[in-house]
Amino acid sequence: MIAPAVLMMLGTVVVADTAAANNRAAPTITAYTNNIENLLTKKETCEGDWDELIYYIAENSTPDLFLLQQVSDMKQVNRFIEELEEHSDGNYSGLIADTEPNGGGRCGPEKARQLNAIVWNTDSLTYVKGTRAMWQSMRENPDSGGSQCVKNDQSRTVNVKANFKHRNGQVITAASIHWPTHASGNFKCADNSARELDDELKESPYKKAALQIVGGDMNYRDVNSSNDWSKWYKEMRANDFADPVRGLCGPTGGCNDGLWTHITDGVKRRIDYLFARRGTSNPAASFGASNVTFSSAQDAEERDHDESDSGCTTYPGRSGCFYSEHRAVTGRVF
């Protein structure tokens, strides 16, 4: 059972929004995060209709930040930006983790290169030159002896961080992260990755940012099989990261079933997150947090233009053509 006191702590971020909104010291940032799965399109090994998400954005708030996981290269980021600029009010630029991409998996050549990326709205944010930096997520040591957790070796788990100056002069730190799957050693080492994330954002020059925003695919639920908080999630909360979507549950925690972001073997799981904190020692406030449902994105595309998704199936054994295999997470944080 999830402790009510903990749930009340998680809910206070949202409860405080109305009062805080009247006296904001830092800018309000509209952020999205999504494992975009290499821009799934129809007729690929793993099918999808990735630009449905863009049509959803066009009907809602223009993003300041978009944290992407699993893109092939800068060319693919630029393709994403091209579509985003065509259907939204912003102008965008992007950067990727500086590493040699590798990948694989069940989806064939279209997922053979996997990197993390940060996309930002140049109308509100300016990249601070020289602040892009990377670090590798942790995994269980595959060899006997030595440390239990070691650096992973997949390009998709090379996390990327950078600083941006808001038009009001304050600095924002953004990080796009991806942790290994349990099969790749995440089960025993996610809390190590959470601690390392905190350490990375407490380095100079990131520690002086007014707001730190993290988005990613953690491949791990926040609630464990005993219906208690997972160890890594406790670590994130102890390090003052607010979870805007979880905050919507309030003191009763009654919205667990609606928080899922990914389906594995027919089981819906929450493994994708948006976190934010003020500086390095206070949870950020938030409003407008949500998961972008596949149906709402598809409806947005259909309202804009007629396009047939006939015969396209994203999840094996489940009808429908979706923008990703992961539901995007969004929120406005300050």
Side-chain angles (χ1 to χ4, degrees):
M1 190 71 177
I2 299 175
V6 178
L7 279 166
M8 289 187 70
M9 176 187 72
L10 292 169
T12 53
V13 174
V14 175
V15 172
D17 285 352
T18 302
N22 295 325
N23 187 26
R24 294 175 192 156
T28 299
I29 300 294
T30 299
Y32 280 77
T33 184
N34 187 224
N35 183 333
I36 200 68
E37 295 281 4
N38 298 83
L39 309 190
L40 297 181
T41 58
K42 302 177 186 69
K43 310 304 180 185
E44 291 183 335
T45 307
C46 290
E47 296 179 306
D49 192 4
W50 69 270
D51 58 357
E52 289 181 349
L53 181 58
I54 303 295
Y55 289 102
Y56 174 89
I57 292 169
E59 294 186 354
N60 292 274
S61 300
T62 300
D64 297 294
L65 277 174
F66 210 122
L67 305 172
L68 292 170
Q69 298 80 52
Q70 281 190 222
V71 295
S72 298
D73 47 30
M74 198 62 215
K75 180 179 179 181
Q76 196 168 78
V77 172
N78 288 336
R79 177 71 187 93
F80 181 88
I81 288 173
E82 178 185 4
E83 195 81 0
L84 188 58
E85 289 183 334
E86 180 179 345
H87 295 283
S88 76
D89 296 329
N91 296 288
Y92 292 89
S93 188
L95 59 80
I96 56 175
D98 184 18
T99 185
E100 184 64 30
N102 57 53
R106 65 179 178 82
C107 288
E110 63 267 21
K111 289 179 72 173
R113 297 165 62 87
Q114 300 177 9
L115 298 171
N116 297 309
I118 300 174
V119 170
W120 66 94
N121 188 336
T122 58
D123 296 335
S124 57
L125 298 172
T126 301
Y127 170 61
V128 179
K129 291 182 179 180
T131 61
R132 181 186 65 167
M134 282 71 62
W135 76 99
Q136 178 64 272
S137 299
M138 304 297 287
R139 63 157 297 165
E140 186 177 1
N141 192 342
D143 301 321
S144 59
S147 301
Q148 175 178 279
C149 298
V150 295
K151 298 287 187 181
N152 194 35
D153 58 1
Q154 297 167 304
S155 64
R156 69 178 183 177
T157 59
V158 174
N159 311 302
V160 59
K161 61 182 176 179
N163 275 356
F164 302 87
K165 182 169 283 189
H166 190 265
R167 58 191 171 202
N168 75 355
Q170 292 179 306
V171 174
I172 307 299
T173 296
S176 181
I177 65 176
H178 196 168
W179 294 351
T181 62
H182 280 6
S184 295
N186 192 36
F187 181 70
K188 292 184 178 180
C189 297
D191 54 314
N192 291 69
S193 289
R195 282 191 293 273
E196 190 168 42
L197 167 63
D198 179 58
D199 290 341
E200 288 285 335
L201 297 189
K202 285 180 176 174
E203 292 181 349
S204 294
Y206 315 100
K207 65 181 180 181
K208 293 184 178 180
L211 191 61
Q212 296 188 330
I213 302 171
V214 176
D217 175 3
M218 273 70 166
N219 274 306
Y220 210 138
R221 295 178 61 199
D222 55 340
V223 178
N224 61 30
S225 57
S226 300
N227 204 30
D228 194 5
W229 302 117
S230 296
K231 189 176 179 181
W232 78 267
Y233 190 79
K234 290 180 182 178
E235 190 74 36
M236 294 294 293
R237 293 299 308 178
N239 291 327
D240 292 308
F241 282 103
D243 176 357
V245 172
R246 170 60 74 178
L248 297 174
C249 292
T252 63
C255 64
N256 280 354
D257 291 344
L259 297 184
W260 67 272
T261 62
H262 187 264
I263 301 173
T264 304
D265 297 327
V267 178
K268 295 177 179 179
R269 302 184 303 146
R270 185 186 190 220
I271 61 173
D272 302 88
Y273 303 85
L274 181 69
F275 290 103
R277 65 184 179 187
R278 294 180 290 132
T280 59
S281 58
N282 291 285
S286 64
F287 58 96
S290 68
N291 291 338
V292 181
T293 66
F294 296 135
S295 60
S296 61
Q298 186 173 39
D299 289 346
E301 183 185 52
E302 290 176 353
R303 282 189 290 271
D304 186 270
H305 75 290
D306 182 30
E307 180 178 272
S308 174
D309 285 340
S310 176
C312 173
T313 302
T314 303
Y315 281 106
R318 182 173 182 236
S319 61
C321 190
F322 309 130
Y323 62 80
S324 174
E325 292 183 344
H326 297 250
R327 299 204 301 187
V329 183
T330 183
R332 302 185 72 187
V333 297
F334 61 91

